[in-house]
Amino acid sequence: MKPNGDFVSMERFMPKTKFSHPMDMQFAKDGSLYMLEYGQNWFAQNDDARLTRITFNSGNRVPEVTIVADKKIGSMPLKVAFSSEGTNDPDGDKLTYEWTFAKGLPKSNLPNPTFTFAKAGIYTPTLKVKDALGNVTEKSMEIKVGNDVPKVDLAIKGNKSFYWNDSKVAYEVKVSDKEDGSLENKKIKNDDVQVNIDYLEGFDKTIIAQGHQANMSVSSGKRLIELSDCKSCHSIDQKSIGPNYKDVAKKYKGRGRQIVALTDKIIKGGGGVWGEQPMAAHPQLKKEDVDEMVKYIMSLADDKKASQPVKGEYLTKDNGKAGTYMFSASYTDKGANNIGALTGSKTYTLRSATMKANTFDTQKEALKYKLEGVGEVVIVSDKSFISFNDIDFTGIGAFTIMANASNERTAGGKVEIRLDSPTGQLLGTGDVTKATSSPIKVPVSANVGFHNLFLVFANPESKGKPLFALTDITVEKEVGGVSGSGR
């Protein structure tokens, strides 16, 4: 443990048991100790990872301040509603508030004021909270006025939750920006819009979110390069004074530490890697902007990142491996009124029409259990349920449920398909009889729009036995109805 703020690995201090997991600790400037526990599993869906803050105060404690704003970026005039909801004093002292919006502008003593910024600029509103003994805590945020975030709309024809393999998905992207224009009036070019269609095996919400952020970086980085002087020495794939971006991407592909060095080199300048011609320094660029530029350059090593048309049909082919198609569209504007480029985006994720039962969002008395040769199944009992959030029911005609009640330890039972709650609208029912392992098809009444899907299980005669084990739930298209494939 080093009080100078360095991280110290605690793995060597942990007991060598199967329950041990590594952690790091760091002191903050205010003396607080932050402890990061990585948990039993690293990276995605790690429920036992956590960050803990430890502070010590022997006397009156300072107020704890929270500030939020309904808008942080926009064109002028920008009306912003500020809130201090969540601000409190650990000792229960009465608090006073003072908002400062900018130098020379009126202040406010209201806990939740509204203020209109009339001129373009980057502002740093600050809330100062004082308790009865004079202890003060301040917190600030950044508000950018003068450039509106582009509006990006991505329309998917048909069902917006599922894809059916070997079927076409029709889509269309529309973009409008207050300062730049729109695709419709052709002031924004099709080539300026980044459209990515990515396939991810399985259905992992954490990985999906990371993929969305990566696609936004591609669009943002591309625009930042176009607005810089980089194009005077570099091109995407043609020889110039400096190396083309595709060659850079190939050279550094898979070399994470070298990628970090590229950001530093762009800002500070350098030479010697691609010949005698040195690269000029760019101290005027922000590190976070250069990071986005480097991410775009590195994306050129992956041909799948080439942008798709703004309107078209995409044929899904998952090669029999149920996964997720992520349709993502983004546009980065040209900046305005000394406010840098801003990115707008829209994403749809279409999961396989065959869902793994163990990917449920909520449950009651449903148990995940690993069976050798089968994988993870869900064991259900009387009055138990599982649910899946935000499912588009457009064009759905039935659910085929793969259940197994083939041994003496299970009782069989009924499956109910309901909307929005365990007692919500009943769409259909099916019976899983004892000593069966056949798919059960449950037709459902037509519904349109997004709802939470509930599968409720019942057998009042089960006498405490599990009813059956679930493996897969397949969504079937409505016969003669709207196709989720977009055809």
Side-chain angles (χ1 to χ4, degrees):
M1 186 185 311
K2 299 179 182 179
N4 62 1
D6 292 341
F7 271 113
V8 179
S9 175
M10 291 296 293
E11 187 169 10
R12 65 181 182 274
F13 299 113
M14 299 299 294
K16 298 300 182 180
T17 72
K18 64 179 180 180
F19 301 107
S20 66
H21 54 266
M23 63 176 68
D24 286 322
M25 298 195 301
Q26 180 176 328
F27 282 104
K29 292 180 179 179
D30 64 358
S32 299
L33 176 64
Y34 287 85
M35 184 165 62
L36 177 63
E37 298 177 71
Y38 294 101
Q40 300 293 334
N41 299 302
W42 291 45
F43 199 51
Q45 295 185 341
N46 187 10
D47 294 332
D48 56 348
R50 64 179 179 176
L51 178 65
T52 303
R53 178 189 178 200
I54 301 173
T55 59
F56 173 75
N57 191 319
S58 60
N60 183 267
R61 291 167 290 181
V62 299
E64 297 173 350
V65 176
T66 300
I67 59 172
V68 295
D70 65 338
K71 304 182 196 72
K72 291 187 177 181
I73 300 172
S75 58
M76 53 190 177
L78 184 65
K79 185 177 181 180
V80 182
F82 294 94
S83 172
S84 63
E85 184 177 353
T87 296
N88 70 90
D89 187 86
D91 305 302
D93 295 341
K94 184 178 179 180
L95 300 176
T96 59
Y97 300 80
E98 182 184 85
W99 287 88
T100 302
F101 302 106
K103 186 177 180 180
L105 296 180
K107 297 183 179 183
S108 174
N109 297 117
L110 297 174
N112 307 307
T114 298
F115 188 84
T116 299
F117 297 91
K119 296 182 179 180
I122 299 177
Y123 298 86
T124 310
T126 300
L127 172 60
K128 181 188 295 184
V129 178
K130 182 186 296 185
D131 69 11
L133 296 180
N135 290 313
V136 175
T137 302
E138 293 185 5
K139 187 162 284 189
S140 301
M141 65 169 52
E142 187 176 81
I143 303 291
K144 295 181 178 180
V145 182
N147 187 20
D148 223 4
V149 178
K151 294 178 175 60
V152 177
D153 181 56
L154 172 60
I156 298 288
K157 185 178 180 181
N159 192 280
K160 296 172 179 59
S161 290
F162 302 103
Y163 74 87
W164 284 266
N165 196 37
D166 291 322
S167 295
K168 290 182 178 180
V169 178
Y171 69 91
E172 182 177 5
V173 178
K174 294 183 179 180
V175 178
S176 63
D177 183 77
K178 190 170 184 179
E179 292 79 23
D180 293 359
S182 67
L183 279 174
E184 187 177 14
N185 64 21
K186 298 183 180 180
K187 290 187 176 181
I188 294 177
K189 299 178 181 178
N190 290 356
D191 291 344
D192 290 333
V193 182
Q194 186 75 24
V195 181
N196 291 110
I197 303 174
D198 298 305
Y199 170 76
L200 306 170
E201 191 170 326
F203 185 74
D204 186 324
K205 292 182 178 179
T206 304
I207 301 299
I208 290 169
Q210 292 166 345
H212 170 60
Q213 291 299 322
N215 285 340
M216 282 190 63
S217 290
V218 169
S219 176
S220 176
K222 180 181 178 183
R223 172 64 77 191
L224 289 167
I225 286 176
E226 291 172 348
L227 297 175
S228 72
D229 63 355
C230 297
K231 56 185 177 290
S232 62
C233 296
H234 304 274
S235 68
I236 293 177
D237 55 5
Q238 301 295 319
K239 186 177 180 180
S240 185
I241 297 174
N244 68 62
Y245 295 135
K246 285 192 173 182
D247 284 346
V248 174
K250 290 177 182 178
K251 181 179 181 66
Y252 292 103
K253 185 177 182 180
R255 297 166 64 182
R257 292 182 179 179
Q258 291 295 327
I259 294 173
V260 175
L262 284 177
T263 297
D264 191 56
K265 188 174 183 179
I266 291 173
I267 295 173
K268 296 181 179 179
V273 177
W274 299 92
E276 297 181 0
Q277 182 67 39
M279 182 172 67
H282 298 81
Q284 76 280 10
L285 296 178
K286 296 180 181 179
K287 182 182 181 301
E288 55 267 30
D289 289 345
V290 178
D291 284 341
E292 298 298 291
M293 295 161 75
V294 170
K295 289 175 184 177
Y296 164 68
I297 293 170
M298 296 309 302
S299 75
L300 298 175
D302 184 358
D303 292 335
K304 292 185 295 183
K305 287 296 182 183
S307 183
Q308 301 287 335
V310 295
K311 181 179 181 180
E313 292 185 333
Y314 187 86
L315 180 64
T316 59
K317 281 194 174 293
D318 62 14
N319 298 317
K321 295 182 178 180
T324 306
Y325 278 95
M326 185 167 66
F327 289 69
S328 181
S330 58
Y331 171 73
T332 301
D333 67 18
K334 300 175 183 178
N337 297 304
N338 294 318
I339 303 299
L342 301 176
T343 300
S345 69
K346 185 71 176 287
T347 296
Y348 272 113
T349 55
L350 302 182
R351 65 191 299 177
S352 170
T354 297
M355 302 186 292
K356 293 294 182 184
N358 62 0
T359 61
F360 59 74
D361 292 298
T362 64
Q363 59 84 25
K364 177 186 177 184
E365 297 180 8
L367 175 67
K368 293 182 181 181
Y369 186 81
K370 287 187 178 180
L371 288 178
E372 187 174 351
V374 178
E376 192 170 63
V377 300
V378 177
I379 309 294
V380 299
S381 57
D382 182 41
K383 298 181 181 179
S384 65
F385 67 78
I386 61 174
S387 73
F388 300 84
N389 294 341
D390 299 321
I391 298 297
D392 184 8
F393 279 77
T394 301
I396 294 177
F399 291 88
T400 297
I401 299 167
M402 190 64 200
N404 190 314
S406 60
N407 60 52
E408 293 300 321
R409 298 179 182 176
T410 58
K414 186 184 294 291
V415 182
E416 298 176 346
I417 306 295
R418 293 183 178 271
L419 289 184
D420 299 322
S421 79
T423 57
Q425 180 185 346
L426 179 64
L427 301 185
T429 62
D431 292 308
V432 179
T433 59
K434 190 174 180 180
T436 184
S437 58
S438 302
I440 307 300
K441 187 171 183 177
V442 182
V444 296
S445 54
N447 254 279
V448 176
F450 282 83
H451 298 272
N452 292 339
L453 164 66
F454 276 77
L455 279 72
V456 183
F457 312 102
N459 182 351
E461 307 298 326
S462 62
K463 298 180 180 179
K465 279 187 177 182
L467 304 190
F468 42 81
L470 291 173
T471 54
D472 300 318
I473 302 160
T474 299
V475 183
E476 309 285 354
K477 295 181 184 179
E478 182 182 12
V479 178
V482 180
S483 170
S485 67
R487 291 188 296 181

